[in-house]
């Protein structure tokens, strides 16, 4: 009796349980067949929430990033009348936000003490006004969801994630989470990519090993002829694998034993998988990021000399061995000579210029490039014979200036510059001899992730690729967070990378 009288009820934990139960009832009403699964998930989610709240919410953030690799498919979507369609990554994000709010109410405060967040807020508010003024749905039925899908999925949610991750940075060990979890997810992406390439090469039984099988549905994805991994398009697979390669180079120097062996095996498997995607932007990004890695991360290891030697050998050997494939028009085997997409991008760039001349400041409306583009005269010998997807803009900056005008373009560029400035500040705060997880190489990895995004963004509209946006801005949140953590003085690190007390 005395024990019962001294027990205290935690209102936040009670609120969390009520939300879980209410969510289970909501799912059961909207999808009765899912009721057993919804209620079975309550103890599992509660256990996960309790574990993370007592330990490290950064883990949940990167589990959410990985969910775009494992769970982001139409087969698991839930249609909610009068609301947005929900899928596992979106549900996990809602859980992530609730977990952060509960954490902050219990233990800390929310920080918005950096100039970069003024740029973020301005961009979010401006684009919200822009898309509201022009309409949240497109007039073209095939792209009806473009305005709200791109604003919510590629802009708002990733930037909210940036702020959440920024607030959760508190010690050096948290740096490990994206490298560990994304490396685990990378095995799945490689597994699917290799099987898809084998199937395209005539190994028909390879498809039977792909799970879940909805990845094979042609109406749910593009680039069916390429190795697109678990994603909807080969571009996302390429962007992810390029980033993962250099993340693995970083973590391979900080782990030992079997983990290091697994990372090096994965490193060997990634370059062919990038080639399997058939994404020329991926080839360029991979080589460009290699230059940055060798010159910045390996500067004290004669990086320039190694760069010259290895690049010359690898490029020369690959060119000789795969010359026939590279000069063909078959994208599955290299296909850099395929001219259709190149011609289409020139036409799309010219159309973007016409739109800018017509509406220079605010554009035609965020997500509405396609509405304006279909009204323009088409040359039957050029873009008309190409795939429908090619009528969308294929450059992230041309997209922004066309849809949101010069104001939107300046805000987007300003955001990249503000984040880069934070990373540069962090780079100079870290001692050059720091070899732990917080080191100058960690900042270089972020530069590579951003460069990878921007290089690919020169050839594709990255605002269609939500996983790529989520990865970039979540990592940016860590960079800004550590830059704030190390103020007002540079961190005191020993050569092994451990923080001195």
């Amino acid at each position: 009796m005395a024990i019962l009288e001294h027990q205290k009820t935690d209102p936040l934990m009670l609120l969390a349980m009520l939300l879980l139960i209410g969510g289970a009832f909501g799912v059961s009403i909207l999808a009765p067949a899912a009721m057993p699964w919804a209620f079975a998930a309550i103890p599992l989610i509660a256990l996960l929430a309790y574990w993370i709240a007592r330990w490290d919410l950064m883990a949940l953030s990167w589990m959410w990033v990985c969910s775009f690799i494992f769970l982001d498919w139409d087969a698991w979507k839930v249609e909610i009348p009068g609301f947005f369609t929900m899928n596992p990554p979106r549900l996990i994000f809602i859980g992530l936000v609730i977990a952060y709010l509960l954490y902050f109410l219990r233990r800390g405060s929310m920080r918005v003490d950096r100039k970069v967040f003024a740029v973020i807020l301005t961009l979010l508010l401006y684009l919200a006004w822009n898309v509201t003024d022009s309409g949240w749905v497109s007039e073209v039925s095939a792209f009806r969801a473009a305005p709200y899908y791109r604003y919510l999925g590629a802009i708002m949610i990733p930037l909210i994630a940036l702020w959440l991750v920024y607030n959760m940075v508190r010690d050096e060990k948290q740096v490990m989470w994206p490298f560990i979890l994304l490396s685990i997810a990378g095995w799945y992406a490689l597994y699917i990519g290799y099987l898809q390439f084998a199937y395209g090469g005539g190994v028909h039984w390879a498809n039977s090993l792909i799970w879940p099988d909805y990845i094979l549905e042609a109406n749910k994805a593009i680039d069916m002829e390429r190795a697109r991994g678990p994603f909807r398009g080969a571009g996302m697979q390429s962007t992810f694998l390029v980033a993962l390669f250099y993340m693995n180079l970083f973590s391979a120097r900080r782990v030992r034993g079997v983990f290091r062996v697994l990372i090096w095996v994965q490193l060997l498997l990634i370059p062919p998988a990038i080639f399997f995607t058939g994404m020329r932007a991926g080839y360029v990004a991979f080589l460009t990021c290699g230059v940055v890695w060798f010159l910045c991360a390996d500067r004290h290891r004669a990086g320039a000399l190694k760069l010259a030697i290895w690049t010359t050998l690898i490029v020369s050997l690959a060119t000789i061995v795969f010359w026939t494939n590279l000069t063909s028009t078959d994208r599955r085997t290299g296909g850099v000579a395929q001219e259709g997409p190149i011609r289409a991008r020139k036409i799309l760039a010219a159309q973007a210029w016409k739109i800018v001349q017509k509406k220079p400041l605010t554009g035609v409306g965020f997500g509405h490039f396609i509405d304006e583009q279909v009204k323009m005269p088409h040359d039957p010998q050029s873009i008309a014979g190409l795939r429908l997807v090619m009528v969308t803009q294929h450059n992230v900056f041309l997209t922004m200036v066309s849809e949101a005008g010069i104001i939107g373009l300046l805000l987007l560029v300003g955001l990249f510059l503000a984040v880069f400035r934070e990373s540069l500040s962090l780079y100079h705060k870290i001692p050059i001899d720091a070899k732990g997880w917080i080191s100058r190489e960690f900042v270089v990895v972020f530069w590579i992730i951003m460069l990878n995004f921007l290089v690919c963004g020169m050839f594709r509209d990255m605002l269609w690729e939500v996983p790529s946006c989520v990865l970039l801005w979540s990592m940016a949140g860590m960079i800004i967070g550590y830059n704030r953590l190390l103020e007002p003085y540079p961190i005191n690190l020993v050569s092994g990378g451990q923080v001195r007390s």
Side-chain angles (χ1 to χ4, degrees), residues 13 23 36 41 71 79 132 135 149 157 201 240-241 248 263 270 278 321 327 348 360 366 383 395 404 421 474 480:
M13 291 301 293
L71 305 173
E79 299 288 344
T132 300
Y149 173 81
I157 289 178
F240 170 68
L241 291 178
N248 279 345
I263 287 176
I270 288 175
V321 173
T327 56
L348 291 169
F366 188 72
I383 202 170
N395 179 295
R421 180 177 176 274
S474 294
I480 301 170

Side-chain angles (χ1 to χ4, degrees), residues 222-279:
I222 59 174
D223 301 327
M224 290 297 294
E225 74 282 5
R226 308 182 202 175
R228 66 193 184 282
F231 300 99
R232 288 184 175 85
M236 286 175 275
Q237 171 87 335
S238 171
T239 303
F240 170 68
L241 291 178
V242 170
L244 181 62
F245 182 85
Y246 293 100
M247 292 178 73
N248 279 345
L249 282 180
F250 171 80
S251 56
R253 298 173 177 177
R254 288 156 180 83
V255 297
R256 295 292 182 268
V258 66
F259 299 106
R260 191 171 189 175
V261 173
L262 290 173
I263 287 176
W264 277 107
V265 171
Q266 193 173 78
L267 278 167
L268 294 175
L269 293 173
I270 288 175
I274 296 173
F275 179 78
F276 296 161
T277 65
M279 299 301 299

Side-chain angles (χ1 to χ4, degrees), residues 51-81:
W51 169 63
I52 293 173
R54 294 286 182 179
W55 188 36
D56 188 0
L57 281 177
M58 189 68 75
L60 181 57
S61 299
W62 289 98
M63 290 178 189
W64 169 65
V65 175
C66 291
S67 72
F68 287 92
I69 299 172
F70 292 106
L71 305 173
D72 188 25
W73 278 87
D74 291 338
W76 293 338
K77 282 185 175 180
V78 177
E79 299 288 344
I80 301 178

